[in-house]
Protein backbone atom coordinates (compact mmCIF):
# COMPACT_ATOMS: atom_id res chain seq x y z
CA UNK A 1 0.00 0.00 0.00
CA UNK A 2 1.13 3.52 -0.83
CA UNK A 3 -0.37 6.63 0.74
CA UNK A 4 -0.10 10.37 0.63
CA UNK A 5 -1.52 12.93 3.05
CA UNK A 6 -1.82 16.60 2.11
CA UNK A 7 -3.92 19.66 2.90
CA UNK A 8 -7.30 19.44 1.14
CA UNK A 9 -6.76 22.32 -1.26
CA UNK A 10 -7.04 22.64 -5.03
CA UNK A 11 -3.34 23.51 -5.13
CA UNK A 12 -2.54 19.88 -4.31
CA UNK A 13 -4.82 18.36 -6.95
CA UNK A 14 -2.09 17.75 -9.53
CA UNK A 15 0.19 16.06 -7.00
CA UNK A 16 -2.62 13.83 -5.70
CA UNK A 17 -3.72 12.82 -9.20
CA UNK A 18 -0.10 12.14 -10.13
CA UNK A 19 0.21 9.87 -7.10
CA UNK A 20 -2.91 7.89 -8.10
CA UNK A 21 -1.80 7.77 -11.74
CA UNK A 22 1.62 6.41 -10.76
CA UNK A 23 -0.02 3.72 -8.60
CA UNK A 24 -2.26 2.68 -11.51
CA UNK A 25 0.71 2.61 -13.94
CA UNK A 26 2.77 0.54 -11.52
CA UNK A 27 -0.14 -1.90 -11.18
CA UNK A 28 -0.24 -2.33 -14.98
CA UNK A 29 -3.38 -0.45 -16.01
CA UNK A 30 -3.80 0.70 -19.61
CA UNK A 31 -3.56 4.40 -20.47
CA UNK A 32 -7.31 4.59 -21.16
CA UNK A 33 -8.18 2.98 -17.84
CA UNK A 34 -5.71 5.26 -16.03
CA UNK A 35 -7.54 8.29 -17.46
CA UNK A 36 -10.82 6.95 -16.06
CA UNK A 37 -9.18 6.37 -12.67
CA UNK A 38 -7.76 9.90 -12.71
CA UNK A 39 -11.11 11.44 -13.65
CA UNK A 40 -13.07 9.56 -10.97
CA UNK A 41 -10.46 10.40 -8.33
CA UNK A 42 -10.33 14.04 -9.38
CA UNK A 43 -14.08 14.36 -9.02
CA UNK A 44 -13.97 12.96 -5.48
CA UNK A 45 -11.03 15.18 -4.51
CA UNK A 46 -12.59 18.38 -5.87
CA UNK A 47 -15.77 17.63 -3.92
CA UNK A 48 -13.69 17.33 -0.74
CA UNK A 49 -11.78 20.55 -1.53
CA UNK A 50 -15.04 22.44 -2.09
CA UNK A 51 -17.31 21.04 0.62
CA UNK A 52 -15.63 18.97 3.35
CA UNK A 53 -14.12 21.81 5.37
CA UNK A 54 -16.45 24.85 5.40
CA UNK A 55 -15.00 26.17 8.68
CA UNK A 56 -11.32 26.14 7.73
CA UNK A 57 -8.50 24.04 6.36
CA UNK A 58 -8.27 20.29 6.68
CA UNK A 59 -6.29 17.36 5.36
CA UNK A 60 -7.03 14.34 3.24
CA UNK A 61 -5.26 11.08 2.69
CA UNK A 62 -5.22 8.92 -0.43
CA UNK A 63 -4.08 5.31 -0.32
CA UNK A 64 -3.59 2.93 -3.23
CA UNK A 65 -3.45 -0.81 -2.74
CA UNK A 66 -3.00 -3.25 -5.64
CA UNK A 67 -5.26 -6.27 -5.15
CA UNK A 68 -4.60 -9.89 -6.13
CA UNK A 69 -7.50 -9.95 -8.59
CA UNK A 70 -5.80 -7.50 -11.00
CA UNK A 71 -7.50 -4.51 -9.46
CA UNK A 72 -6.57 -1.36 -7.59
CA UNK A 73 -8.21 -0.19 -4.38
CA UNK A 74 -8.09 3.57 -3.84
CA UNK A 75 -9.28 5.03 -0.55
CA UNK A 76 -9.79 8.74 -0.02
CA UNK A 77 -10.15 9.79 3.60
CA UNK A 78 -11.02 13.14 5.14
CA UNK A 79 -12.29 14.21 8.54
CA UNK A 80 -14.55 16.90 7.15
CA UNK A 81 -18.32 17.21 7.12
CA UNK A 82 -20.09 13.83 6.87
CA UNK A 83 -21.13 13.20 3.28
CA UNK A 84 -22.16 9.95 1.62
CA UNK A 85 -22.00 10.51 -2.15
CA UNK A 86 -23.75 7.17 -2.68
CA UNK A 87 -26.87 8.53 -0.98
CA UNK A 88 -27.54 10.83 -3.93
CA UNK A 89 -29.78 9.57 -6.75
CA UNK A 90 -28.44 9.44 -10.30
CA UNK A 91 -29.23 12.62 -12.23
CA UNK A 92 -32.13 12.57 -14.67
CA UNK A 93 -30.25 12.41 -17.96
CA UNK A 94 -33.49 12.27 -19.94
CA UNK A 95 -34.76 15.64 -18.74
CA UNK A 96 -34.26 18.70 -20.91
CA UNK A 97 -30.95 20.34 -20.03
CA UNK A 98 -32.72 23.52 -18.88
CA UNK A 99 -34.81 21.46 -16.41
CA UNK A 100 -32.00 19.41 -14.87
CA UNK A 101 -30.87 20.01 -11.32
CA UNK A 102 -27.38 21.43 -10.90
CA UNK A 103 -24.83 18.96 -9.55
CA UNK A 104 -24.69 15.21 -9.26
CA UNK A 105 -23.02 14.48 -12.61
CA UNK A 106 -19.57 14.06 -11.08
CA UNK A 107 -20.78 11.44 -8.63
CA UNK A 108 -22.67 9.74 -11.46
CA UNK A 109 -19.42 9.55 -13.47
CA UNK A 110 -17.52 8.21 -10.43
CA UNK A 111 -20.08 5.41 -10.17
CA UNK A 112 -19.80 4.63 -13.88
CA UNK A 113 -15.99 4.58 -14.04
CA UNK A 114 -15.33 2.56 -10.89
CA UNK A 115 -16.15 -1.13 -10.74
CA UNK A 116 -17.08 -0.67 -7.09
CA UNK A 117 -17.68 2.45 -5.04
CA UNK A 118 -18.21 2.31 -1.29
CA UNK A 119 -18.60 4.89 1.46
CA UNK A 120 -18.32 4.61 5.19
CA UNK A 121 -17.96 7.02 8.09
CA UNK A 122 -15.56 5.79 10.74
CA UNK A 123 -14.27 7.62 13.83
CA UNK A 124 -15.24 11.03 12.41
CA UNK A 125 -13.69 10.26 9.03
CA UNK A 126 -15.29 9.99 5.57
CA UNK A 127 -13.80 7.05 3.67
CA UNK A 128 -14.58 6.71 -0.02
CA UNK A 129 -13.32 3.47 -1.56
CA UNK A 130 -12.93 2.87 -5.29
CA UNK A 131 -12.17 -0.52 -6.79
CA UNK A 132 -10.91 -0.42 -10.36
CA UNK A 133 -10.43 -3.63 -12.34
CA UNK A 134 -7.76 -3.79 -15.05
CA UNK A 135 -10.48 -4.27 -17.60
CA UNK A 136 -13.67 -2.41 -16.83
CA UNK A 137 -16.65 -4.72 -16.50
CA UNK A 138 -19.44 -3.80 -18.92
Amino acid sequence: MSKIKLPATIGHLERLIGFVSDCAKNTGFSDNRIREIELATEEALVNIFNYAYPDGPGDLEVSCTPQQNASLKIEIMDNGMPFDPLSLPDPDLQADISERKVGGLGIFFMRKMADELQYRREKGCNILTFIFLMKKAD
Side-chain angles (χ1 to χ4, degrees):
M1 175 187 358
S2 300
K3 51 169 95 166
I4 186 171
K5 184 174 184 176
L6 291 170
T9 61
I10 196 74
H12 291 108
L13 180 63
E14 189 174 328
R15 185 165 171 205
L16 290 161
I17 296 298
F19 169 78
V20 169
S21 182
D22 288 346
C23 290
K25 284 178 194 160
N26 292 338
T27 305
F29 281 85
S30 70
D31 288 345
N32 285 341
R33 194 69 174 122
I34 289 170
R35 280 191 285 281
E36 291 178 344
I37 293 168
E38 290 171 344
L39 187 56
T41 304
E42 180 177 336
E43 185 58 42
L45 292 172
V46 170
N47 282 342
I48 293 168
F49 299 156
N50 289 333
Y51 305 111
Y53 298 104
D55 298 327
D59 293 328
L60 64 80
E61 181 176 289
V62 178
S63 68
C64 296
T65 309
Q67 306 291 289
Q68 290 187 347
N69 63 344
S71 68
L72 181 64
K73 176 180 172 182
I74 298 172
E75 286 195 322
I76 302 173
M77 295 154 276
D78 70 79
N79 57 1
M81 301 279 295
F83 176 65
D84 178 0
L86 304 182
S87 68
L88 297 178
D90 283 345
D92 181 0
L93 300 178
Q94 303 306 315
D96 185 83
I97 193 111
S98 63
E99 297 172 7
R100 290 184 195 170
K101 291 182 181 177
V102 174
L105 274 180
I107 293 168
F108 174 75
F109 288 130
M110 288 179 356
R111 288 176 176 153
K112 292 298 180 192
M113 287 180 250
D115 293 282
E116 281 184 52
L117 186 59
Q118 304 161 0
Y119 169 84
R120 69 186 188 278
R121 178 102 177 148
E122 222 171 73
K123 297 177 185 170
C125 188
N126 294 303
I127 304 170
L128 186 64
T129 303
F130 291 96
I131 303 291
F132 294 99
L133 298 176
M134 288 275 183
K135 184 171 183 188
K136 181 153 171 42
D138 292 319

